Amino acid sequence: MAFAPVGPEASFFEVLDQHRASLLAALRRGGGEPADGGTRLASSSEVLASIESVIQDVLTSLARNKAPVFTIDNRSSWENIKFEDSVGLQMVPHCTRRKIKSDSPKSVKNFALILKILSIIYKLVQSNTHATKRDIYYTDSQLFGNQTVVDNIINDISCMLKVPRMSLHISSTSKGLIAGNLRYIEEDGTKVHCTCGTTAVAVPSNIQGIRNIITDAKFLLIVEKDATFQRLLDDNFCNRMSPCIMVTGKGVPDLNTRLLVKKLWDTFHIPVFTLVDADPHGIEIMCIYKYGSMAMSFEAHNLTVPAIRWLGLLPSDIKRLNIPRDTLIPLTKRDQMKLDSVLKRPYVTCQPFWRKEMEIMADSKMKAEIQALTFLSSDYLSRVYLPNKLKFGGWI
Amino acid sequence: MEGTAVAVCEILKYLIIHWKCETGVSNGALLEGQLVISMEALNSNHQENTLHCVTTIASAGSTYGGLVLKKFIKEIQSILPGFSAKLNWTSEEASSSQDISGVTPFQMIFEVDEKPRTLMTDSLVIKNFLRRIIMVHPKIRFNFSVKVNGILSLEIFGTKNEPTLNLSNGIALVINYQHYVSRPKFGAAQLLCSRIHPVLGHPVMLFIPDDVAGMGSLGELILTPAAALCPCPKVFSNQLNRVSSVSIFLYGPSGLPLILPSQKQPTTTVFEDTSFFIDWKKYHLCLVPNMDLSLDRDLVLPDVSYQVESSEGDQSQNMDSQGQTLLLFLFVDFHSGFPVQRTELWRAHTLLTVHLSAILTESHSVVQDSIQVTVDQALEQYHQDAKDHQKLQASLSVAVNSIMSIVTGSTSSSFRKICFQALQAADTQEFGTKLHKSFYEITQHRFLPHCSCEVNQQLLPEKNAEQSTEDAHENSSPELLTGPGLPSFDPDRLDERNLRWEG
């Protein structure tokens, strides 16, 4: 074994092992996944050729005395999104598109910025270097105006070229943390050994480049909040539940954190669970990991892990554990709107248990943070709640 | 200035005032009619290098009657005290029973001796005056001919059927841009709007200085400004998005020009300070008076002209491109509580002609406010267009540089070859130039905001040239007058001159 056994006895993981077996069986029934997880990354030459093709189209239009136009899928429209249980949210094959014209006052700047970022990407790919979205913004912050403009254009280019962002040599700044039974080597040769101690390792910025990943974790726990993650580290959760891996995206996850979770699932097929607050925001974050977001639906195959299960905090746990009412928080108007929005999403229909939990929350009009469990005891979360959930299959 | 030009202009002014009073100034109807002015000059038998010039002013077709001829002659003589020529009236008097539609044509003749150069200048002054009148009296037509030792030159001045903007008190401003600036140096394809779009300002009452006698009892002088960019900034080429000059036109009661070109001092001294009425700094414009106003051009000559000085910031612009002219019209009208009499109008006109600077200075504050607001509104679109143009230029520059970066940085020779071939460029430099040009040409028409102006592609209808030719009186003699060149009869030039007759 790669790691010294310091966690519970093997029988603790029986249910987990059964769960994993069922997941693998489901995968086999579904045709399985290729070793790379079903994603196809574009090579550098393919990316360069795609960009050159775009430039040629622009020049052809100019030669014909026509204003060049970029046609881009409407990523921000629900009518262009479909749900597939095995993938999550993804774009429909023939979706509505929008035109970015070079001869329209409203879009000429956008047209120019797309070309600008294409030229930056071209250079990055040619030189086999990487840059973050923030780096790109700072190449000419006055021109771009704000980071959101850059982010949207990069996503538009990824969608337009049908190339995942990582192939464009644009990395997102990682904000996530990892801890637990995991080792790998980064692209530059750095060996990373995530520990089970009180410190965590930052999610690498180049997930595509990591190799020699080694783990014997029985499960991967995605923790919504950094505070909860740190608490679990302090409580030595990784050691006591070893072998396991913990990840946090510190709220809404960045792309690299999602890619890492995806990579660990695709490589090892270890059960993935989420630990989120019992509130609409936490549920939405969980859905992003599991099914993806509308904005990134064009890259769903690279990012989603439909096998994720909701471990806690479930709204039904609140009543079951007699969590004091004064530790609960009333749903705000925004919470209500978000909850209604999530309930209407296509993936909820195939998750009846999730729907039921959300309905419990809607009926009670109350929400609870994971920290509410500390009212039962300070280490209730790491010593009682999570171990029981994991041992007895308390996930949905 | 003594001479034929002043006499003709004053007579015409008096005629129009008389005309206007007969029609009734309150009904706002435009004056309609035709006048013929001819100058026939022959070498003097008594003096060397001198022409004996006979000038005739006559009505043609319908005009409003009621002109008491002998009284008219007397009045004209009184307003031209220094005029030494003898005035003759050779037509019948209008009868008292004649209805308004029936007309007695009249004819007025006077003779002077003039130097050829003076005659030429007089001719140009009169032409400019006629152009100024027809700009606000679109239904009045003038046939003006000059015959020197048998060589005839004829021009017809009229703006009938051209687009106009109705103003108060029986005048309407012609808004065909070609009268004010020469056609931009671009192809016809880029000409999409032939109109100017004046912004009318708030009328203000002028104050009369105490030392200007006799005016207080007559009524009020009301100044109404109007401003427009010329040519229309909305749909012209992006190269015209800068103001390069300002032209000011001064009109008095009855829509009559206040001054003749030679009479500018001291009437326009108040305009020598370019910023006396308008704060140009807010538009980043630095103006200087433009003294170079040639009489000999087919455009309406302004009373005051300013030129924009180029600054350091303009050096990046294409200074060869023709800029826009800001036209500022100052209409001063006379109002009293009663139907205005001819004499009152004339006195008001005379007062303004002599004391305009003093009156405007006395009224500086209100005039400045009114004019500034008017100019602000006229330039508002200019500013917006300038911003949009800057945005476009900046974006196109980014697009071009990005494409150049990819093409020049590519290691694929086939890709580079395809790119160069697409724009038929031989090298990188030519590729960059053609790329920029292509983007510019593609975007400039589509990019400009939609103009609600009536699109007028055919600016100069050719059919009118033929019609005008029939009206031309010829008598071309091969003899040429010795001395400085004078307008001579040229059928080809006749067509060109008459093209402004009908729109």
Side-chain angles (χ1 to χ4, degrees):
Chain A
M1 290 183 68
F3 301 94
V6 295
E9 56 197 31
S11 60
F12 178 89
F13 297 110
E14 269 178 26
V15 177
L16 273 168
D17 290 337
Q18 285 168 10
H19 175 58
R20 182 168 184 264
S22 68
L23 290 174
L24 286 172
L27 276 175
R28 279 193 291 273
R29 281 195 301 273
E33 291 172 348
D36 62 356
T39 59
R40 186 186 168 278
L41 300 175
S43 66
S44 293
S45 57
E46 284 172 337
V47 173
L48 293 177
S50 295
I51 295 174
E52 287 167 2
S53 175
V54 169
I55 300 302
Q56 284 178 31
D57 288 344
V58 169
L59 295 175
T60 303
S61 293
L62 289 174
R64 290 177 186 161
N65 215 30
K66 289 184 184 172
V69 173
F70 291 136
T71 305
I72 295 177
D73 296 340
N74 266 332
R75 294 181 296 108
S76 56
S77 170
W78 276 108
E79 65 182 17
N80 287 337
I81 309 291
K82 69 173 182 181
F83 171 70
E84 230 177 75
D85 194 25
S86 59
V87 177
L89 295 175
Q90 55 182 338
M91 295 198 79
V92 300
H94 302 291
C95 54
T96 60
R97 312 174 97 187
R98 70 185 196 280
K99 290 184 187 296
I100 299 177
K101 300 178 184 177
S102 58
D103 61 346
S104 162
K106 289 180 186 172
S107 64
V108 64
K109 184 171 180 186
N110 214 15
F111 179 89
L113 292 182
I114 290 175
L115 282 170
K116 170 80 177 175
I117 293 182
L118 277 173
S119 70
I120 293 173
I121 292 169
Y122 195 83
K123 287 275 182 289
L124 287 172
V125 174
Q126 261 189 333
S127 58
N128 198 24
T129 52
H130 291 78
T132 63
K133 291 187 293 181
R134 197 69 179 161
D135 292 335
I136 291 174
Y137 166 71
Y138 278 118
T139 59
D140 198 335
S141 58
Q142 205 167 0
L143 172 68
F144 293 120
N146 59 70
Q147 183 67 52
T148 308
V149 169
V150 173
D151 295 351
N152 286 334
I153 289 177
I154 289 171
N155 287 337
D156 283 339
I157 289 174
S158 179
C159 198
M160 183 170 71
L161 300 181
K162 305 272 188 277
V163 165
R165 198 169 86 192
M166 64 189 81
S167 298
L168 302 177
H169 285 226
I170 297 176
S171 46
S172 63
T173 306
S174 301
K175 60 174 180 163
L177 297 171
I178 335 165
N181 301 83
L182 181 66
R183 284 190 303 191
Y184 56 85
I185 299 174
E186 291 192 7
E187 192 182 31
D188 61 0
T190 305
K191 291 181 182 172
V192 178
H193 188 176
C194 302
T195 64
C196 297
T198 55
T199 55
V201 169
V203 170
S205 57
N206 184 5
I207 303 296
Q208 184 189 350
I210 62 176
R211 59 188 191 278
N212 287 52
I213 307 172
I214 300 171
T215 183
D216 53 3
K218 290 289 187 180
F219 64 92
L220 166 61
L221 181 66
I222 299 172
V223 182
E224 176 197 346
K225 296 190 303 197
D226 183 40
T228 311
F229 184 88
Q230 295 296 336
R231 182 57 203 251
L232 290 173
L233 283 182
D234 291 342
D235 288 351
N236 209 19
F237 178 81
C238 280
N239 268 326
R240 285 192 278 107
M241 288 291 112
S242 178
C244 69
I245 301 171
M246 275 202 318
V247 169
T248 181
K250 297 183 184 176
V252 176
D254 60 278
L255 204 63
N256 288 331
T257 304
R258 293 175 66 188
L259 284 168
L260 178 65
V261 169
K262 172 72 175 175
K263 194 170 186 73
L264 290 173
W265 162 254
D266 287 345
T267 310
F268 301 105
H269 300 301
I270 47 176
V272 183
F273 303 107
T274 54
L275 179 64
V276 299
D277 289 342
D279 62 19
H281 186 58
I283 294 171
E284 188 172 53
I285 286 173
M286 177 173 59
C287 291
I288 290 174
Y289 282 105
K290 184 177 172 80
Y291 294 121
S293 62
M294 182 168 68
M296 295 299 294
S297 58
F298 62 94
E299 235 186 296
H301 281 91
N302 295 332
L303 298 171
T304 59
V305 183
I308 283 174
R309 297 293 185 262
W310 187 2
L311 190 65
L313 178 65
L314 302 178
S316 57
D317 288 340
I318 297 172
K319 191 175 178 183
R320 182 173 61 82
L321 298 173
N322 281 323
I323 292 173
R325 195 166 173 82
D326 56 3
T327 64
L328 306 181
I329 306 164
L331 290 178
T332 64
K333 217 170 193 176
R334 185 181 274 192
D335 290 332
Q336 290 280 6
M337 286 169 59
K338 190 176 281 294
L339 187 58
D340 292 340
S341 162
V342 174
L343 278 167
K344 286 177 189 159
R345 295 205 188 145
Y347 40 70
V348 174
T349 51
C350 65
Q351 293 289 338
F353 295 112
W354 286 30
R355 172 175 274 279
K356 194 173 173 190
E357 293 292 333
M358 285 189 255
E359 285 168 355
I360 292 172
M361 187 189 303
D363 290 342
S364 68
K365 294 186 173 46
M366 304 296 277
K367 61 182 178 183
E369 292 182 338
I370 293 169
Q371 280 67 26
L373 295 174
T374 58
F375 284 91
L376 299 172
S377 72
S378 61
D379 55 1
Y380 190 86
L381 174 67
S382 58
R383 285 199 177 273
V384 180
Y385 180 79
L386 287 176
N388 282 341
K389 283 266 182 171
L390 289 165
K391 185 174 181 182
F392 298 111
W395 54 77
I396 56 172
Chain B
M1 171 185 167
E2 298 293 337
T4 309
V6 172
V8 168
C9 295
E10 292 295 289
I11 291 169
L12 288 177
K13 277 160 65 172
Y14 202 78
L15 269 174
I16 288 173
I17 287 174
H18 173 87
W19 211 344
K20 196 144 181 75
C21 289
E22 291 303 311
T23 60
V25 292
S26 58
N27 66 12
L30 296 177
L31 291 181
E32 189 167 353
Q34 185 174 352
L35 289 170
V36 177
I37 303 136
S38 66
M39 296 168 68
E40 188 165 349
L42 293 167
N43 285 330
S44 171
N45 295 327
H46 309 292
Q47 295 179 51
E48 262 187 44
N49 199 28
T50 302
L51 295 166
H52 181 74
C53 181
V54 177
T55 302
T56 307
I57 301 174
S59 66
S62 303
T63 186
Y64 292 99
L67 201 60
V68 179
L69 306 173
K70 284 183 182 168
K71 187 180 175 192
F72 183 82
I73 294 281
K74 206 171 169 185
E75 286 171 354
I76 284 292
Q77 282 173 330
S78 72
I79 66 174
L80 296 170
F83 194 57
S84 55
K86 184 180 173 186
L87 278 174
N88 292 317
W89 196 269
T90 60
S91 292
E92 299 172 5
E93 290 191 33
S95 70
S96 59
S97 62
Q98 192 173 23
D99 66 2
I100 200 158
S101 59
V103 176
T104 303
F106 66 85
Q107 185 172 311
M108 199 185 322
I109 300 174
F110 58 88
E111 302 172 33
V112 292
D113 288 332
E114 285 190 332
K115 297 292 182 193
R117 185 172 285 280
T118 307
L119 177 63
M120 183 169 118
T121 306
D122 283 346
S123 165
L124 292 174
V125 169
I126 292 168
K127 283 188 199 177
N128 275 294
F129 187 77
L130 298 180
R131 285 193 196 103
R132 288 288 302 273
I133 290 180
I134 61 173
M135 286 298 107
V136 295
H137 291 284
K139 291 189 177 180
I140 296 179
R141 195 172 103 173
F142 298 99
N143 290 21
F144 178 58
S145 64
V146 177
K147 193 172 182 181
V148 179
N149 287 327
I151 300 171
L152 175 68
S153 164
L154 171 66
E155 274 190 69
I156 298 171
F157 295 86
T159 51
K160 197 176 175 185
N161 296 329
E162 289 193 27
T164 58
L165 174 70
N166 281 336
L167 303 172
S168 61
N169 207 19
I171 61 173
L173 181 64
V174 173
I175 54 175
N176 186 340
Y177 90 95
Q178 294 174 85
H179 297 293
Y180 304 103
V181 296
S182 52
R183 185 179 171 138
K185 301 171 196 166
F186 304 107
Q190 301 195 13
L191 207 62
L192 297 176
C193 178
S194 61
R195 298 185 183 197
I196 60 172
H197 307 278
V199 173
L200 287 181
H202 186 69
V204 292
M205 194 177 81
L206 297 178
F207 302 109
I208 314 297
D210 292 336
D211 56 349
V212 175
M215 188 56 209
S217 58
L218 291 183
E220 294 174 342
L221 290 174
I222 307 291
L223 179 140
T224 306
L229 276 173
C230 181
C232 170
K234 293 180 184 177
V235 290
F236 266 92
S237 163
N238 283 335
Q239 295 184 35
L240 294 177
N241 64 350
R242 60 182 186 91
V243 173
S244 60
S245 60
V246 177
S247 294
I248 303 177
F249 301 87
L250 305 167
Y251 281 91
S254 307
L256 292 171
L258 278 175
I259 49 182
L260 297 179
S262 55
Q263 294 176 327
K264 289 186 181 172
Q265 295 291 340
T267 309
T268 55
T269 48
V270 72
F271 293 102
E272 284 174 10
D273 178 359
T274 59
S275 60
F276 192 69
F277 291 115
I278 304 169
D279 174 20
W280 299 106
K281 284 181 190 169
K282 61 195 288 190
Y283 308 114
H284 308 291
L285 294 174
C286 179
L287 279 84
V288 294
N290 177 20
M291 303 307 196
D292 179 26
L293 291 177
S294 168
L295 282 174
D296 189 11
R297 56 183 201 170
D298 290 338
L299 302 174
V300 181
L301 196 69
D303 296 306
V304 178
S305 177
Y306 299 142
Q307 202 70 28
V308 171
E309 269 191 331
S310 60
S311 60
E312 284 182 8
D314 286 345
Q315 284 174 6
S316 60
Q317 294 180 21
N318 180 6
M319 296 305 293
D320 292 334
S321 64
Q322 191 173 343
Q324 285 173 300
T325 300
L326 176 66
L327 305 175
L328 179 60
F329 300 90
L330 300 180
F331 298 103
V332 182
D333 208 357
F334 176 78
H335 293 280
S336 70
F338 305 96
V340 178
Q341 300 298 313
R342 189 176 66 247
T343 49
E344 287 176 317
L345 273 181
W346 186 256
R347 276 165 64 189
H349 216 279
T350 307
L351 182 84
L352 286 166
T353 303
V354 175
H355 299 290
L356 181 66
S357 282
I359 294 170
L360 290 180
T361 304
E362 185 77 11
S363 319
H364 175 247
S365 174
V366 293
V367 171
Q368 185 184 45
D369 287 346
S370 182
I371 292 178
Q372 186 71 62
V373 168
T374 310
V375 169
D376 285 348
Q377 286 179 3
L379 293 183
E380 184 183 336
Q381 184 62 44
Y382 158 77
H383 267 301
Q384 186 56 47
D385 288 348
K387 270 193 227 171
D388 288 346
H389 173 63
Q390 270 181 346
K391 200 166 138 183
L392 171 68
Q393 290 302 311
S395 297
L396 291 187
S397 179
V398 169
V400 166
N401 288 338
S402 302
I403 293 174
M404 288 296 292
S405 167
I406 292 171
V407 173
T408 56
S410 172
T411 55
S412 167
S413 57
S414 59
F415 167 65
R416 289 199 309 276
K417 190 177 172 187
I418 291 170
C419 292
F420 282 18
Q421 278 176 350
L423 296 187
Q424 297 176 349
D427 54 37
T428 308
Q429 191 174 358
E430 191 182 354
F431 178 76
T433 306
K434 286 192 171 182
L435 182 63
H436 192 278
K437 189 170 172 244
S438 296
F439 262 119
Y440 183 78
E441 285 175 359
I442 291 290
T443 56
Q444 65 170 338
H445 297 301
R446 296 287 304 277
F447 185 84
L448 291 165
H450 173 68
C451 175
S452 58
C453 319
E454 184 183 320
V455 172
N456 182 10
Q457 291 285 356
Q458 191 181 4
L459 299 170
L460 306 172
E462 294 176 359
K463 59 178 181 179
N464 295 316
E466 295 171 4
Q467 189 175 352
S468 302
T469 305
E470 294 172 5
D471 294 334
H473 294 293
E474 65 15 305
N475 183 14
S476 59
S477 161
E479 293 178 16
L480 293 172
L481 179 72
T482 57
L486 288 171
S488 58
F489 176 61
D490 182 345
D492 291 336
R493 272 210 74 207
L494 179 66
D495 293 346
E496 193 178 306
R497 280 196 296 265
N498 290 336
L499 283 173
R500 252 188 265 112
W501 176 33
E502 285 187 15

